[in-house]
């Protein structure tokens, strides 16, 4: 299977959603065809964390007519690196083939678990480079 980077228009849409949800974090699923399915953030501290109700996750995994590509959520305070909670979630869902995107208010960054650590994903799907340096989905010339 060939790696496909999130299209710029999808990234712009998620950024607009994150801007509209700020100061709370927003979350949801990306499904095949580069569509997104927002899910309410049910965390008691939505300005600092996100969580999805288990029944919504099960519904997406069992009753969705599209293949789930992965999970997105926003960091409205600007950090593009995954938190400890994000890393734990990534470790739980990586065996299922999920991809993970963090949406800031001006870009989208993909992360994956590699050797038990979060690593940034480049636009070509590779992960080399210094840990913690996220690679932007949107190109520098692509306005939001």
């Amino acid at each position: 299977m060939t790696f496909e980077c999130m299209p710029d228009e999808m990234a712009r849409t998620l950024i607009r959603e994150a801007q509209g949800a700020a100061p709370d974090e927003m979350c949801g699923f990306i499904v095949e065809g580069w569509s997104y399915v927002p899910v309410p953030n049910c965390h008691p501290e939505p300005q600092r964390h996100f969580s999805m109700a288990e029944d919504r996750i099960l519904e997406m995994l069992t009753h969705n007519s599209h293949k789930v590509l992965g999970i997105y959520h926003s960091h409205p305070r600007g950090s593009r690196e995954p938190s400890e909670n994000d890393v734990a979630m990534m470790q739980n869902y990586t065996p299922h083939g999920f991809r993970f995107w963090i949406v800031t208010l001006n870009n989208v960054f993909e992360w994956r678990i590699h050797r038990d650590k979060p690593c940034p994903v480049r636009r070509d799907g590779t992960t080399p480079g210094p840990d913690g340096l996220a690679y932007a989905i949107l190109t520098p010339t692509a306005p939001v």
Side-chain angles (χ1 to χ4, degrees):
M1 178 184 234
T2 306
F3 178 83
E4 185 179 357
C5 183
M6 178 184 285
D8 282 358
E9 191 51 44
M10 175 89 267
R12 285 188 197 94
T13 298
L14 292 177
I15 292 165
R16 285 190 296 271
E17 292 289 322
Q19 291 168 344
D24 291 350
E25 292 190 11
M26 56 94 179
C27 55
F29 294 93
I30 303 292
V31 298
E32 67 183 345
W34 294 107
S35 295
Y36 73 105
V37 179
V39 174
N41 181 353
C42 64
H43 197 281
E45 295 180 63
Q47 293 181 357
R48 299 180 45 83
H49 303 284
F50 86 98
S51 62
M52 296 185 234
E54 286 186 30
D55 61 334
R56 290 290 293 161
I57 295 171
L58 287 173
E59 178 184 331
M60 283 300 298
L61 297 177
T62 59
H63 300 299
N64 188 16
S65 61
H66 296 287
K67 179 184 179 212
V68 174
L69 298 178
I71 296 173
Y72 70 88
H73 76 284
S74 65
H75 283 183
R77 296 191 326 237
S79 174
R80 56 182 149 186
E81 278 95 35
S83 68
E84 287 182 29
N85 290 338
D86 297 343
V87 172
M89 180 204 53
M90 291 167 65
Q91 289 170 330
N92 285 335
Y93 286 99
T94 291
H96 302 287
F98 277 31
R99 294 168 66 182
F100 305 92
W101 294 274
I102 294 176
V103 183
T104 66
L105 298 183
N106 61 10
N107 219 318
V108 179
F109 303 90
E110 186 171 355
W111 292 84
R112 73 170 50 125
I113 295 295
H114 180 69
R115 296 183 182 159
D116 295 324
K117 294 182 358 183
C119 293
V121 178
R122 291 182 177 166
R123 289 182 63 82
D124 65 1
T126 61
T127 57
D131 291 344
L133 175 60
Y135 300 98
I137 296 288
L138 290 179
T139 56
T141 57
V144 175

